[in-house]
Amino acid sequence: MPTPPLRVMLVDDDHERRALVAAALVDAGLTVCAALGTAAGLVQAVARHAPDVVIIDLESPDRDILESMRCLSRDNPHPVVMFASNSDADAIREAIEAGVSAYVVDGLNPGRVHSVVEVAVARFRQYATLQRELTEARTSLAHRKVIDRAKGILMERGRRSESEAYHALRKLAMDQNKTIAEIAKGVIDTAELFK
């Protein structure tokens, strides 16, 4: 089954350029789900139109745009390609920190927009995968610490080996249909009550 075309939301305050870019995107096999003349209400527009990627063309990102990008990145992450005339290193850094996937200087060229979008989407997906793996690793480490602490309590108070303490936690987790980390947290909380 073929992959459906990417849905693009285009934001450009220049009506003629917006029309040219929208046509180039359609010619490249993408779907333009929205073509907006302003970035005002960007977060709401993304929620309403549900694009796969957002393309913004402007002279230079202002504070309002960057704040919208931060909100979008935090609440509803999407790959965002920003075409701008401003090549100032600080402006580029701020845009990237705000969540822009690709910042292209020298404005939007309809002929190369498709390849830039493809790269931005690939980089966004790679970044999202890394973020998910990092979150999973942090959660796993936090659970491991809680389990180790609970095992220590059971070993100290119940005169059990590490293996016996772990098996006791595991059995309780299975009996109560909970995770071992949840049971371990309960053991720690109970031990704290009796300090």
Side-chain angles (χ1 to χ4, degrees):
M1 184 173 164
T3 306
L6 285 176
R7 292 172 41 84
V8 177
M9 186 172 86
L10 177 62
V11 180
D12 190 339
D13 60 359
D14 183 316
H15 176 72
E16 289 179 24
R17 185 176 53 210
R18 187 171 63 244
L20 286 172
V21 172
L25 290 168
V26 170
D27 289 345
L30 303 173
T31 300
V32 177
C33 63
L36 310 175
T38 177
L42 180 67
V43 175
Q44 295 81 4
V46 169
R48 183 173 53 255
H49 297 290
D52 296 314
V53 64
V54 178
I55 298 174
I56 300 174
D57 186 24
L58 41 88
E59 290 297 315
S60 179
D62 63 24
R63 294 283 167 214
D64 291 339
I65 294 283
L66 293 175
E67 186 54 36
S68 292
M69 295 306 310
R70 283 184 191 88
C71 291
L72 184 63
S73 180
R74 181 189 64 229
D75 300 335
N76 189 5
H78 278 72
V80 176
V81 179
M82 186 173 285
F83 291 88
S85 300
N86 188 347
S87 63
D88 177 61
D90 288 337
I92 294 169
R93 181 187 45 75
E94 286 183 38
I96 298 298
E97 287 174 359
V100 172
S101 305
Y103 187 100
V104 181
V105 178
D106 292 332
L108 196 153
N109 178 332
R112 67 180 188 168
V113 73
H114 183 262
S115 59
V116 172
V117 166
E118 292 293 329
V119 170
V121 169
R123 289 197 63 192
F124 175 82
R125 288 179 180 156
Q126 180 184 32
Y127 179 76
T129 298
L130 289 173
Q131 285 297 103
R132 186 176 58 253
E133 289 171 355
L134 178 60
T135 299
E136 289 170 1
R138 286 180 176 159
T139 301
S140 179
L141 180 59
H143 287 173
R144 183 83 253 149
K145 287 180 179 180
V146 168
I147 292 168
D148 285 346
R149 187 167 169 211
K151 284 191 311 187
I153 291 168
L154 293 176
M155 290 164 58
E156 178 186 308
R157 299 206 175 146
R159 308 254 187 256
R160 298 175 182 188
S161 70
E162 183 177 359
S163 176
E164 289 170 333
Y166 180 77
H167 287 298
L169 290 171
R170 195 171 115 211
K171 181 174 180 350
L172 274 172
M174 288 190 308
D175 290 348
Q176 295 181 20
N177 198 25
K178 293 184 176 182
T179 67
I180 296 174
E182 290 172 320
I183 296 297
K185 177 81 170 96
V187 168
I188 293 167
D189 291 345
T190 303
E192 302 244 334
L193 279 175
F194 293 106
K195 274 189 176 180

